[in-house]
Amino acid sequence: MSYTLQTPQKPLPGAYIQTPAVSRFQSLQSRPSNSRLNSGAPQQQYGRQHQSQALTQQGQASQTGGQKSDAKDLQPIARGAKAVNEALSEESRYPDLDSYVGQGISSDYEVSTQPAWAPFQKIKMHPIPDRIFEQYNRAQVSTIMGLFADFNHAWVAIDNALYLWDYTHPNPDLVGFEEQSHTITAVRLVIPRAGVFVSSVVRLLVVATTAEIILVGLSAQAAPHGGQSVALYSLKMSAPVKGLDVGVIEGSDATGRIFFSGRGSDDVYEFTYQQEEKWFQNRCAKINHTSKRYSTITPATFWSQRSQQETVVQMVADDSRRLLYTLSSESTIRTFHIKDNRALELVITKPFSQTLSNVGHMTSHSDLISPSTTLVSISAVTAQEATKIHLVATTSTGCRIFMSATSSYGYYSDSSSAPTTMQVQHVKFPPADTPNSQQGQPPNSTQMTTYSNTPTINTSSRVLAPTRTAVRYAPGYFLAFVAKDAQAGTDLLFISGPDTARIARPQDQQRLTRYAELALWLNLGSRAEDIGLATEGFSAGPNPVGFGNELAVQFDKATSEIAILTNTGVHMVRRRRLVDIFAAALRLGGEDEGLEGQVKKFIRQYGRDETASTALAVACGQASDVTSDSRLARIQDPDILEHARKAFIEYGGKPLFNENAMLDQSVPGIDLVRPSPRHKGLSLYISRLVRSIWKAPIIQERLTPTGGLAILSSVGISRLQDISQDLTKLKEFLNANKSFIEGLGGPEALGNVSTKQEEISLQAEHRALHALVVLIDNIIEGIAFVLVLYDEKIEETILSLANETRQQVKNLSYEGLCTTGLGKQLAKDLVKAIVNRNILSGSNVETVAEALRRRCGSFCSADDVVTFKAQEYVKRASEAGAESEVCRDYLNESLRLFKQVAGSLSMEQLNWVVDHYVALEFYAGSIQLCLEKAKEADRGNRALSWIMEGRPQEDKRQEAFEFRRRCYELVHHVIRSIEQSGTDSADMLDGHLTLPGKRRQEAAEQIDTAQDEVFQTNLYDWYLQENRPDKLLEVESPYIVTYLERRSSDDISHANLLWKYYLQKERYQDAAMVQLALAKSEFQLSLDQRIEYLGNAKTNASTTRPGIRRSVRNDMLREASDLLDVANIQSDLLQRLKGDSRIAADRRPTVIKELDGAILPLSVLFNTYCEAAHYFDLCILIYEAADHRVASDIKATWQNLLERVHTEAEVQDQGPEPYEMVAETVRSLGTKLSLSETMFPVATLLLMLKRYAFNFQQGVGSDTWVVDIFIDLQVPFETIWAVLETMFYNDEQPFQGRNRRFIGNDMVYVARLWFQDSIRGSGSLYGGEDNAYAVSQMLHLVMQSGLEEGRLEEGQNLRMRIENLLR
C-alpha cells in the first residue's frame, strides 16, 4: 500500500548537510532540502531546484517589460537570431541529473497503457538463425549467449566454440572461433589500447575458458545491406586462468585495460598485454589486484577471513572518473581507482548493510529494501551526465539506489585522485501495484499513473519483484527484467525513461524539479540473456547541465535503440521522441473532440511552448512511426498533418501585453509585449533543426599526407541538405498558412483588433514572427551557398583569399554566415573569389555570377553582377598595359559602371578598385569614384551639419562622417601615390607636359575643384595627422588661422600647430601667449610638458620685436618665470611622492594624478603636501618662491630638515653615513637657493650644523665636513671666519670650555685654506694687512684655549708663515 510519511526525514550522513561540497546553483536560490527535513511535509524526491526555473522566470519577467529594451534597434535578422540563440541557451540549461535526483526518495511514474503515449516501442524481433539452433543441439557442457549491439551482432558460445552473426540480416553468415579446445566461460568485446595493434583491429574479443583467457582481434566494415560485417584475427595472445572459472570481464575504453574475476572468489584480476615481449615481462599476463602474495601460503586469520561464497557477479568501468565498480554475490559494492601506472587500488568497500543504513535515513522500514533484499545490477553514471551521482544499483525488488562517491573535500570529480566514501543519494521506488502485475502480467488498466502536485510515495509496491536483472543507459533509460513466474522461464520487461519535457519545463516553476518518468510494460515471452545499446550513447552536451535534453536533439541525432537478446531472438526497442508521441496521440484522438482532448492533455503536461513546437514539427513531417512491415518511416498521413497544423494555429496562444510595466514613455509599448507561445514554439523548432550547425565553422582545414591543403565541411553534406530540406518545408508551411497564423498576416489583420493593446500586441507578434521568417530564408540561402562553395574547387577559392580574410572564413560559423554583416561580406568575398577564379580560367563572368544569384541571391545581387563586370574591365585594362589607349577606354568604362553601383560597393571592393586604378595611374578616376561613394553614402549631407555644429558626441550623424572619412582615406592613398610618382618622373620635358605629369595634373584638378566641403576639411585634418603641417602653413589664406584657432580650443595638436605657425611668421609674442595658455590649460598634459611650454614661452617672451610694448612683454615674461619656478617645485614634489612608501597604495594614483597635471598654487603645495609630508627642503624652496621671510619659520624648517635627514639615514642598513646625507642635502639646497641671505642664513646654518656634528657625529668622517659644505658652496672665507669667530667668542652651547677646541680646529682649517687661496693670486694676504694681523692674533688666542694636537701644530706653522709675510 502507498502511504505518506508523517515524520520528518532523517538526514543522510555524507550528503548535503554533512559534506563540505556546495551546490553550484546555490547562488541562484537556497537549497530547499534542509528546511524540509523538519517541516513534516510529505516526503518526495528532493533534488535541487533546477537553475533554469529561476532563469526562465527572470527571462519571462524581462520579456514582459520594465527594462529599457534595445529591441526596436534590432534588424529582423538580428532579432530572429536572438530568439534562436535564446532557445539554444535555454535548451543548454536543461537540468542536470543531480538537480532532480537529490537527497530523498521518489516514485513518480506515468505508466502508459495506451500505445500512443508509450515512451518506448518495440520495433521488431530478429529471430535466431536455425544454424545456431543446430549448433546448440550439439552442446555437451554449456551454452552462453550475448550481444555486441554496437556492431549489430549477437554471439553464442557452445562448449569450446564461439559463433557471431549479424542479427539484422535475414540470412546471416556465421563467423566462428573454434581454434581452442576448452569450454568457454565468458566473452566480452572491449576497445584495445592505442598503439598495440594495427588500425584495422577496432575491438578485442576477450574469450575466457576454463584454462586460459584469449584475445582475438575484430575488424568491422560496412556491409552492403546497411549493417556491418566483422572478421576475427588470431593475435596469439593468451594467459592461463586455470582454476579461476572466469565469469565476469570488463574493459576500460579509455585505457584499453581488461579486468576479470572468477566465480570462486571476489578477487579482481587484470589481463595485461603489449605489442612485444620485454625483459621480465611477457606479451600477456594476469595480475591479481586484490590478494597479496602471502595470502596464498598463509592461513587466513579470524579478522581476515571472508566468506568463501562471495564472488564478483558484475563489473562496470567508468572511464570519465577512472573508476571500476564491482558487485559481489553478497550485494557488496567495491570501488577501484584505475591508476596510470597499471595499478588498480581498492578505495571503497560498501557492504549492503551500509547501504541499508543510508537508506534508513531517508525512509522508515520498507520491505522493498531490507536485509533479505539483494542487489542484482549496477550501472555507472559518467561525469558528463552528473557531478554527484556516480552509480545506480538495482535491487531484486526493482528499487533503484542512486549513489555518490565523495572524498575528503566533497563530491568526487577529479579522476586523478580517488574517492574515499560512498553514500546513498536517492532511492527510486517501483510504480504502484496493480492486480494484473501481481499475477505476473503488466498492468493494462485504462487508469494511468499520473503526476500530481503533491504525490504520495509508494514504498511497498512489489510490482517489480522479483527483478532478475536490470540495466540503465544515459540519460536514464531503465530496463528491469521481472521474472514473475520462475517456472515459466519468461521475463516481463519494465522499461522507463525520463519525462524530458516535464523535467525541462515543470508545471509549477516554484516547486522542486521532480524525477518524472514515463514507463511501459512489455511481455517478451521469453527469457532475456543480454541487453545492449544498438545506437551511439546518448549525449546532448559535454557537461551535466544540458546533457539529458532529448528534446534538443530529437531532430539532430538518431533515436536510441536497445537490443534485447532472448532465447527466441533479438528484440529491438526504440525510444520514442516527443514528436512521435504527439503524432500518435493525434491519430488516437481521431475526430475533433478527441483531438482537442489529446492536445489539451499535451498542453497540461508540457506547456504551450513545447506543444506549439511539437505540433509544428509534426505538421512539417518530422514524426516517425513503425510501419506494418517493422520499418521506421516518417508519418505522411494527411489527417495527422492537418490535425498538427490546426493544433499549431489554434492552440498557439496569444501575445501578452504587460501594462503594469509601462511606467513612462521611455520604453515603447511594442517592447512590453511578450510574443505568443506559437512564436516560442517556432524558435524552438528552428533551433533544434540548426543546432548541429549553428556554432560549427563552415570549413575545416586539414593537411593531406603529401603536405597539401584539404578543405572539408565540418558538417556532412548530406546533413546540410537534410537541414535545408526541413527548413524549406517549414518555410512552405508558414507561407501556406500565413493568413491563418496570427501575426503573419498582412495589414488587413489589424482590422480585427478592438483595443489599442491588442493592436500593439499584434504588431509585436508580427515583428517577432517576421524576424524568424527572415532568419529561415537566410539560413536556407546560407546552406545553399555553402553547398555551392563545395561544388566549386574550394581549395583554390580559399587559397586565393587574403590571409586575414582566409582566417575570418576559417573562423566563420553558420550563425555568423547567416545572421551577421561580416558573414555576408565574407560570403561576397568568397563569391568574388569564385568569380575571379572562373575569369582566370576563361569562363564567362556574367554566366557564373547569374548562376550564383539564382541559387543564393542575397549573396550575389544584380549590383554584384554589374560590379563583377566592371572588375572584368579593370582586369582587361591591366592586361592591355597602362600606356595603351585601349587601357584608358577600359578604365573609363569600368569607372562608369562603378559609379552606377557606387552606393552598393563595399569598402573592400572600393579598395580593390583604387589599388588597380593607382597601379594604372588612373588617379583622377580613383578620386572621382571615392568622392562619388562618399556622396552616395550620405546623400543628406549629414556629415557637414555635424561638423558645423562642433562634432557633438553620440550623434548619429557621426556615423555618416566616419564612413565618408574611410572614402577620403583612399583619396589620401591616391595623393601619396601621386607624390611618389612625382619623384620618379618630371611633369615637364622640353617645355611640354609629360603624360605622367598630365595625369597628376588631372588628379590635382579633381581635388581643387571638389565641391565636397567635408572632404576639404578632412583633407586639412589628414595633413595634420600625417605630421605634414607644411602643407597647411604654406597656405596664405586666413582660413588656415581661423581653422587652427577654432580647433585649438579642444585639440592640443592644433594648438601646437598654431604657435608653430606664429613662430614661422616671427610672431613671437603670439607664440608665447599660446604656449603660456597651454601651460595653464585644462588639457591632459603632464607636468613636464607644462614646464617645457613655460620654458619656451619665457624664451619667446624675452625676444624683442618692433611693435610690442615693453610693459606687455615684461608682464608676460614675469608670469612665465614665476609659473616656471612653481612648476619646478611641483615637479620635485611629484618625484618625491612617487617613491614615498607612506602613501597608501589606493591613494597613490590619486596623488600622482593631481600633481602630474595642472600647476597648483603654492599654498596647496605647502599645506596639502610638503608640510604634511615633512618635505622641509621643498618648504624652504616654497618660502623662496612665495617671498616668505619670517626668520623663525626658516630656522625651524632648516632644523626639522636636518633632523629628518639624519633619522632617515640612521635607519638605512647600507649607504652613506648620516653626516654625509646631511651635508649633501645642505649643499644641494644651497645651490638651488643661490645662497640667498634670507633662505640660506650662513651664520644660523653653520652653528646648527656644528651642533649636529658635536651631538651626533663625533669621530665619524672628517672633522671639517661642516665648513667644507660652505667652502664647496663658495661662501667667502671671510664670512665663514667671521661666523666661527663669533661662535668662539660667544661661547655658544655646547662649545664651551674644552669644547671650544672644535670651533678652534675649524678656524685653523679655514685660516689655512684662506691663506692658500689668498696667496695664489695677486691679491693681498687675507685681503689686507689688518685682516692678516687679526687672523694671526685670533689663531694665537685659539691655540692658547686648546686645540687638537694635529691642529695645534698646523696653527703654529700657519701663524709663523703669516708673521713672516707680515714682516
Side-chain angles (χ1 to χ4, degrees):
M1 59 180 292
S2 46
Y3 58 91
T4 302
L5 298 180
Q6 301 300 322
T7 57
Q9 172 178 294
K10 300 177 183 178
L12 173 62
Y16 287 109
I17 303 174
Q18 303 296 335
T19 58
V22 179
S23 169
R24 292 172 300 157
F25 309 122
Q26 195 169 6
S27 60
L28 293 175
Q29 59 187 56
S30 60
R31 191 178 298 137
S33 56
N34 293 351
S35 61
R36 289 181 180 268
L37 293 177
N38 300 316
S39 64
Q43 184 177 6
Q44 306 175 30
Q45 63 83 13
Y46 297 123
R48 294 187 313 274
Q49 185 171 359
H50 174 47
Q51 58 175 343
S52 69
Q53 297 175 11
L55 294 174
T56 301
Q57 294 171 3
Q58 180 181 358
Q60 292 174 352
S62 64
Q63 291 177 13
T64 55
Q67 80 284 2
K68 289 189 177 182
S69 172
D70 60 351
K72 61 180 179 298
D73 299 327
L74 291 177
Q75 295 299 318
I77 185 63
R79 183 175 293 107
K82 179 182 177 185
V84 169
N85 281 322
E86 287 176 351
L88 288 171
S89 176
E90 181 180 348
E91 300 264 76
S92 69
R93 296 193 300 268
Y94 179 84
D96 60 336
L97 185 64
D98 298 322
S99 65
Y100 57 86
V101 182
Q103 180 186 2
I105 63 176
S106 65
S107 63
D108 285 346
Y109 295 90
E110 182 170 343
V111 182
S112 174
T113 59
Q114 297 176 342
W117 289 84
F120 296 87
Q121 67 182 151
K122 183 177 177 181
I123 303 177
K124 65 186 305 182
M125 193 271 287
H126 302 284
I128 297 177
D130 293 337
R131 296 173 61 187
I132 295 297
F133 285 112
E134 293 174 3
Q135 297 293 334
Y136 178 79
N137 293 331
R138 299 172 186 172
Q140 298 178 359
V141 179
S142 67
T143 302
I144 52 177
M145 302 176 67
L147 282 172
F148 301 146
D150 50 345
F151 287 97
N152 297 329
H153 274 65
W155 59 268
V156 60
I158 302 173
D159 295 337
N160 66 320
L162 176 65
Y163 301 102
L164 285 70
W165 75 93
D166 182 354
Y167 57 76
T168 63
H169 196 282
N171 187 22
D173 294 329
L174 297 186
V175 180
F177 174 67
E178 304 170 325
E179 283 74 14
Q180 57 87 34
S181 59
H182 303 284
T183 302
I184 297 175
T185 59
V187 178
R188 184 72 172 180
L189 194 66
V190 301
I191 294 178
R193 191 168 68 249
V196 178
F197 306 102
V198 295
S199 59
S200 59
V201 176
V202 295
R203 294 289 190 276
L204 291 180
L205 197 59
V206 186
V207 181
T209 69
T210 54
E212 59 184 348
I213 188 167
I214 306 169
L215 291 188
V216 180
L218 184 145
S219 66
Q221 60 183 3
H225 68 277
Q228 296 188 73
S229 62
V230 301
L232 302 182
Y233 299 93
S234 175
L235 302 177
K236 299 187 182 304
M237 287 186 171
S238 63
V241 292
K242 191 171 184 179
L244 292 182
D245 192 14
V246 176
V248 180
I249 305 173
E250 178 66 359
S252 169
D253 294 346
T255 63
R257 297 172 67 176
I258 302 171
F259 305 99
F260 63 93
S261 182
R263 295 186 175 90
S265 69
D266 61 350
D267 291 334
V268 175
Y269 295 83
E270 179 176 358
F271 181 89
T272 63
Y273 58 97
Q274 58 190 14
Q275 195 171 23
E276 298 177 352
E277 291 188 3
K278 299 181 180 179
W279 288 100
F280 310 108
Q281 194 172 7
N282 296 327
R283 289 184 67 197
C284 301
K286 72 174 186 296
I287 301 174
N288 189 335
H289 285 293
T290 52
S291 293
K292 304 296 183 181
R293 293 180 179 177
Y294 57 80
S295 65
T296 61
I297 59 175
T298 58
T301 64
F302 172 79
W303 300 104
S304 65
Q305 185 175 6
R306 295 181 301 183
S307 171
Q308 297 298 319
Q309 297 179 353
E310 184 175 15
T311 60
V312 174
V313 297
Q314 187 182 2
M315 285 185 182
V316 176
D318 181 1
D319 288 317
S320 65
R321 297 186 176 94
R322 304 289 294 271
L323 297 178
L324 176 70
Y325 305 102
T326 66
L327 174 64
S328 77
S329 57
E330 301 295 329
S331 297
T332 297
I333 299 174
R334 292 180 175 86
T335 305
F336 297 83
H337 183 217
I338 304 175
K339 295 187 174 181
D340 292 330
N341 55 354
R342 292 193 177 183
L344 187 70
E345 180 186 4
L346 175 62
V347 293
I348 301 174
T349 299
K350 191 171 186 64
F352 190 58
S353 58
Q354 289 186 9
T355 303
L356 292 176
S357 177
N358 292 161
V359 173
H361 288 83
M362 297 180 178
T363 181
S364 58
H365 175 72
S366 172
D367 292 337
L368 298 182
I369 305 179
S370 65
S372 61
T373 308
T374 60
L375 298 181
V376 296
S377 70
I378 55 175
S379 299
V381 179
T382 65
Q384 289 77 25
E385 185 177 359
T387 301
K388 290 182 180 180
I389 305 298
H390 290 61
L391 190 70
V392 179
T394 306
T395 68
S396 57
T397 55
C399 298
R400 277 172 284 168
I401 303 175
F402 294 81
M403 297 184 175
S404 60
T406 59
S407 59
S408 58
Y409 54 84
Y411 288 98
Y412 170 73
S413 59
D414 184 6
S415 61
S416 62
S417 60
T420 56
T421 61
M422 180 174 284
Q423 302 292 339
V424 174
Q425 186 80 6
H426 186 88
V427 178
K428 182 85 178 203
F429 284 95
D433 286 338
T434 64
N436 288 333
S437 64
Q438 295 294 343
Q439 297 171 7
Q441 297 294 328
N444 56 10
S445 171
T446 57
Q447 297 270 341
M448 296 181 64
T449 306
T450 57
Y451 308 122
S452 62
N453 291 333
T454 57
T456 59
I457 300 176
N458 191 330
T459 61
S460 61
S461 172
R462 303 192 65 85
V463 70
L464 297 184
T467 295
R468 187 173 58 82
T469 186
V471 68
R472 178 193 183 274
Y473 297 113
Y477 307 148
F478 174 64
L479 292 84
F481 296 89
V482 184
K484 289 292 184 180
D485 187 356
Q487 301 298 325
T490 59
D491 290 331
L492 292 176
L493 172 60
F494 177 80
I495 181 169
S496 66
D499 192 348
T500 309
R502 188 183 297 275
I503 294 174
R505 295 176 179 84
Q507 296 176 353
D508 188 353
Q509 299 282 356
Q510 305 299 325
R511 297 181 62 86
L512 298 173
T513 303
R514 292 159 46 193
Y515 186 11
E517 288 188 284
L518 298 173
L520 174 71
W521 284 95
L522 291 176
N523 193 341
L524 298 178
S526 54
R527 177 184 174 88
E529 300 293 340
D530 199 4
I531 313 112
L533 195 60
T535 54
E536 183 181 357
F538 180 86
S539 173
N543 301 311
V545 176
F547 176 89
N549 193 351
E550 296 179 273
L551 301 176
V553 297
Q554 58 182 327
F555 313 126
D556 188 43
K557 292 187 177 182
T559 307
S560 298
E561 292 185 5
I562 301 170
I564 303 170
L565 175 64
T566 69
N567 51 14
T568 59
V570 180
H571 301 259
M572 301 302 300
V573 177
R574 170 181 174 266
R575 170 67 162 173
R576 299 181 74 205
R577 303 172 300 169
L578 192 64
V579 66
D580 302 332
I581 295 175
F582 185 75
L586 294 180
R587 178 185 285 124
L588 177 67
E591 301 299 329
D592 290 344
E593 294 183 1
L595 172 65
E596 181 179 359
Q598 296 296 323
V599 174
K600 288 184 177 180
K601 176 183 177 181
F602 210 86
I603 293 174
R604 285 194 302 270
Q605 291 191 354
Y606 305 127
R608 286 189 181 272
D609 295 349
E610 194 60 53
T611 302
S613 175
T614 308
L616 180 60
V618 174
C620 293
Q622 288 287 354
S624 301
D625 201 0
V626 178
T627 62
S628 58
D629 56 350
S630 299
R631 289 186 304 104
L632 190 65
R634 286 198 175 188
I635 297 176
Q636 299 296 331
D637 187 339
D639 292 337
I640 295 179
L641 299 184
E642 176 62 18
H643 293 332
R645 185 191 73 86
K646 287 184 178 180
F648 176 74
I649 295 174
E650 298 176 5
Y651 296 94
K654 293 183 176 296
L656 177 63
F657 181 77
N658 188 0
E659 299 182 43
N660 296 328
M662 183 176 285
L663 302 178
D664 49 40
Q665 299 300 321
S666 60
V667 180
I670 195 172
D671 292 334
L672 301 177
V673 178
R674 185 175 67 188
S676 66
R678 183 184 299 105
H679 167 268
K680 183 61 177 294
L682 177 58
S683 61
L684 274 174
Y685 181 55
I686 296 173
S687 70
R688 290 167 181 173
L689 289 179
V690 303
R691 179 180 183 272
S692 59
I693 68 170
W694 193 243
K695 300 295 183 182
I698 64 171
I699 68 169
Q700 283 184 334
E701 293 186 359
R702 295 286 187 271
L703 291 178
T704 63
T706 59
L709 178 66
I711 304 296
L712 305 174
S713 175
S714 62
V715 181
I717 298 299
S718 61
R719 179 62 189 150
L720 289 175
Q721 293 171 341
D722 291 342
I723 295 174
S724 179
Q725 290 175 5
D726 291 339
L727 288 172
T728 302
K729 289 181 181 178
L730 174 60
K731 175 183 176 181
E732 293 171 352
F733 173 84
L734 295 176
N735 287 336
N737 295 278
K738 63 181 180 180
S739 59
F740 304 104
I741 299 175
E742 183 178 352
L744 276 185
E748 61 275 6
L750 293 175
N752 299 325
V753 300
S754 57
T755 64
K756 183 64 175 178
Q757 287 80 1
E758 290 182 3
E759 179 182 351
I760 295 175
S761 298
L762 185 60
Q763 291 172 349
E765 180 78 356
H766 173 76
R767 183 178 70 172
L769 290 175
H770 174 69
L772 291 177
V773 171
V774 173
L775 178 64
I776 294 170
D777 288 337
N778 275 36
I779 298 176
I780 293 174
E781 285 205 355
I783 294 176
F785 172 74
V786 173
L787 295 176
V788 169
L789 195 62
Y790 283 99
D791 287 341
E792 297 288 333
K793 295 180 179 179
I794 188 171
E795 286 81 7
E796 295 180 8
T797 303
I798 297 298
L799 288 175
S800 66
L801 299 173
N803 290 335
E804 181 180 358
T805 305
R806 176 179 169 184
Q807 185 61 39
Q808 289 176 330
V809 171
K810 182 179 177 181
N811 298 331
L812 181 65
S813 65
Y814 283 87
E815 177 192 8
L817 173 67
C818 301
T819 64
T820 65
L822 175 62
K824 181 161 288 190
Q825 185 56 53
L826 292 176
K828 290 189 178 235
D829 290 339
L830 288 167
V831 168
K832 179 181 175 183
I834 294 174
V835 171
N836 290 338
R837 188 179 60 77
N838 281 273
I839 291 175
L840 292 175
S841 64
S843 302
N844 188 301
V845 63
E846 293 187 36
T847 303
V848 175
E850 187 63 27
L852 286 169
R853 189 184 66 81
R854 286 196 307 269
R855 296 186 64 177
C856 40
S858 62
F859 300 109
C860 185
S861 62
D863 285 352
D864 292 333
V865 175
V866 176
T867 302
F868 294 145
K869 189 173 182 180
Q871 288 175 338
E872 186 175 7
Y873 278 120
V874 174
K875 289 198 173 185
R876 291 179 182 177
S878 300
E879 295 170 355
E883 305 299 329
S884 66
E885 190 66 28
V886 176
C887 174
R888 292 292 120 181
D889 293 339
Y890 282 143
L891 290 175
N892 287 326
E893 181 62 21
S894 68
L895 177 61
R896 183 186 67 81
L897 293 175
F898 279 130
K899 290 174 73 172
Q900 286 180 7
V901 295
S904 63
L905 285 178
S906 67
M907 288 306 300
E908 287 75 13
Q909 290 171 325
L910 187 61
N911 272 288
W912 183 89
V913 176
V914 170
D915 288 342
H916 281 75
Y917 278 2
V918 170
L920 296 172
E921 297 183 355
F922 193 35
Y923 305 122
S926 301
I927 297 171
Q928 280 187 32
L929 183 58
C930 292
L931 296 182
E932 183 69 20
K933 175 63 179 176
K935 175 183 175 182
E936 289 295 323
D938 183 24
R939 292 190 176 185
N941 216 0
R942 296 181 300 163
L944 180 60
S945 63
W946 178 71
I947 292 175
M948 293 302 181
E949 294 179 13
R951 310 188 183 206
Q953 295 296 322
E954 298 182 0
D955 193 307
K956 291 185 177 181
R957 294 173 297 178
Q958 185 177 0
E959 297 178 1
F961 171 79
E962 290 297 328
F963 187 86
R964 295 181 72 161
R965 181 181 59 79
R966 294 174 61 190
C967 298
Y968 300 148
E969 286 176 351
L970 294 178
V971 179
H972 304 162
H973 168 64
V974 176
I975 294 174
R976 292 193 193 97
S977 301
I978 294 173
E979 293 172 347
Q980 180 62 36
S981 67
T983 62
D984 299 335
S985 61
D987 289 343
M988 304 294 294
L989 181 63
D990 297 333
H992 297 284
L993 192 64
T994 63
L995 183 59
K998 181 180 179 181
R999 293 170 179 171
R1000 288 192 288 269
Q1001 187 179 48
E1002 291 173 353
E1005 289 176 358
Q1006 289 293 332
I1007 295 175
D1008 293 339
T1009 60
Q1011 300 299 313
D1012 191 340
E1013 188 174 352
V1014 179
F1015 166 67
Q1016 297 292 348
T1017 303
N1018 174 266
L1019 183 63
Y1020 295 137
D1021 289 338
W1022 175 65
Y1023 284 144
L1024 298 179
Q1025 294 169 2
E1026 288 290 301
N1027 197 22
R1028 299 171 62 186
D1030 54 304
K1031 300 294 292 184
L1032 286 182
L1033 301 182
E1034 292 173 359
V1035 179
E1036 296 295 338
S1037 170
Y1039 171 76
I1040 299 300
V1041 175
T1042 305
Y1043 169 80
L1044 293 176
E1045 287 179 346
R1046 182 178 70 248
R1047 300 298 298 272
S1048 63
S1049 61
D1050 56 1
D1051 192 333
I1052 191 171
S1053 63
H1054 292 81
N1056 284 328
L1057 183 60
L1058 182 58
W1059 64 260
K1060 289 177 182 178
Y1061 171 81
Y1062 285 140
L1063 285 181
Q1064 180 177 330
K1065 302 302 180 181
E1066 297 185 352
R1067 296 168 58 176
Y1068 298 110
Q1069 299 301 318
D1070 292 334
M1073 187 178 301
V1074 175
Q1075 291 166 337
L1076 184 59
L1078 282 172
K1080 299 187 296 182
S1081 69
E1082 296 182 357
F1083 285 123
Q1084 295 297 321
L1085 297 172
S1086 66
L1087 186 58
D1088 290 340
Q1089 290 175 309
R1090 296 179 188 273
I1091 292 174
E1092 183 180 357
Y1093 282 129
L1094 288 173
N1096 293 333
K1098 183 177 179 181
T1099 301
N1100 292 326
S1102 62
T1103 303
T1104 58
R1105 289 284 296 172
I1108 301 299
R1109 290 187 300 172
R1110 183 185 300 271
S1111 59
V1112 175
R1113 182 173 63 84
N1114 290 340
D1115 291 343
M1116 188 179 302
L1117 183 61
R1118 182 171 57 255
E1119 183 180 5
S1121 299
D1122 292 345
L1123 277 176
L1124 186 60
D1125 291 340
V1126 176
N1128 286 326
I1129 295 174
Q1130 184 171 332
S1131 178
D1132 292 341
L1133 174 61
L1134 174 62
Q1135 299 305 319
R1136 194 80 57 85
L1137 287 173
K1138 285 182 178 180
D1140 198 327
S1141 60
R1142 296 174 297 170
I1143 304 178
D1146 56 345
R1147 169 69 174 157
R1148 187 184 303 275
T1150 303
V1151 172
I1152 293 176
K1153 181 179 180 182
E1154 184 173 353
L1155 289 174
D1156 193 13
I1159 301 173
L1160 302 177
L1162 285 172
S1163 59
V1164 175
L1165 296 177
F1166 182 82
N1167 296 320
T1168 305
Y1169 296 104
C1170 294
E1171 187 178 37
H1174 296 170
Y1175 296 154
F1176 299 112
D1177 54 341
L1178 298 184
C1179 291
I1180 295 171
L1181 292 176
I1182 293 176
Y1183 291 160
E1184 174 71 12
D1187 199 20
H1188 182 76
R1189 297 176 178 272
V1190 180
S1192 59
D1193 292 345
I1194 297 171
K1195 180 179 180 181
T1197 304
W1198 273 105
Q1199 184 66 45
N1200 291 333
L1201 174 62
L1202 299 183
E1203 292 177 0
R1204 178 176 176 81
V1205 173
H1206 174 77
T1207 302
E1208 291 178 350
E1210 277 190 327
V1211 299
Q1212 295 180 359
D1213 297 334
Q1214 297 178 352
E1217 295 290 339
Y1219 83 90
E1220 293 177 322
M1221 296 289 291
V1222 170
E1224 180 59 31
T1225 300
V1226 175
R1227 190 180 292 110
S1228 174
L1229 197 54
T1231 301
K1232 292 181 180 179
L1233 294 171
S1234 301
L1235 299 180
S1236 169
E1237 294 181 359
T1238 305
M1239 300 302 154
F1240 195 82
V1242 176
T1244 302
L1245 292 177
L1246 186 54
L1247 176 59
M1248 193 181 297
L1249 290 170
K1250 286 301 296 181
R1251 286 174 175 169
Y1252 166 75
F1254 178 82
N1255 293 328
F1256 299 103
Q1257 298 294 303
Q1258 286 194 42
V1260 181
S1262 171
D1263 57 352
T1264 61
W1265 67 270
V1266 174
V1267 294
D1268 284 339
I1269 296 173
F1270 297 93
I1271 293 172
D1272 293 342
L1273 290 172
Q1274 298 182 357
V1275 176
F1277 288 106
E1278 186 174 2
T1279 302
I1280 300 173
W1281 178 267
V1283 173
L1284 292 173
E1285 185 177 15
T1286 302
M1287 293 170 60
F1288 186 83
Y1289 281 122
N1290 290 344
D1291 285 340
E1292 296 284 355
Q1293 289 288 346
F1295 305 111
Q1296 297 173 339
R1298 282 186 52 81
N1299 291 340
R1300 294 175 69 188
R1301 70 182 184 275
F1302 295 107
I1303 304 299
N1305 292 337
D1306 287 343
M1307 295 183 72
V1308 172
Y1309 176 71
V1310 172
R1312 178 174 64 80
L1313 294 179
W1314 193 3
F1315 176 84
Q1316 294 174 353
D1317 182 72
S1318 61
I1319 64 176
R1320 285 195 192 100
S1322 59
S1324 57
L1325 184 65
Y1326 292 116
E1329 293 185 0
D1330 293 340
N1331 286 346
Y1333 180 76
V1335 170
S1336 178
Q1337 293 300 318
M1338 191 63 195
L1339 287 174
H1340 177 68
L1341 178 60
V1342 168
M1343 288 185 291
Q1344 287 181 344
S1345 65
L1347 294 174
E1348 300 289 344
E1349 182 175 352
R1351 293 299 183 190
L1352 179 60
E1353 182 179 355
E1354 181 183 349
Q1356 290 173 349
N1357 294 334
L1358 180 60
R1359 190 165 182 272
M1360 289 177 59
R1361 296 178 67 183
I1362 294 172
E1363 293 295 335
N1364 290 335
L1365 291 176
L1366 289 176
R1367 294 192 186 100

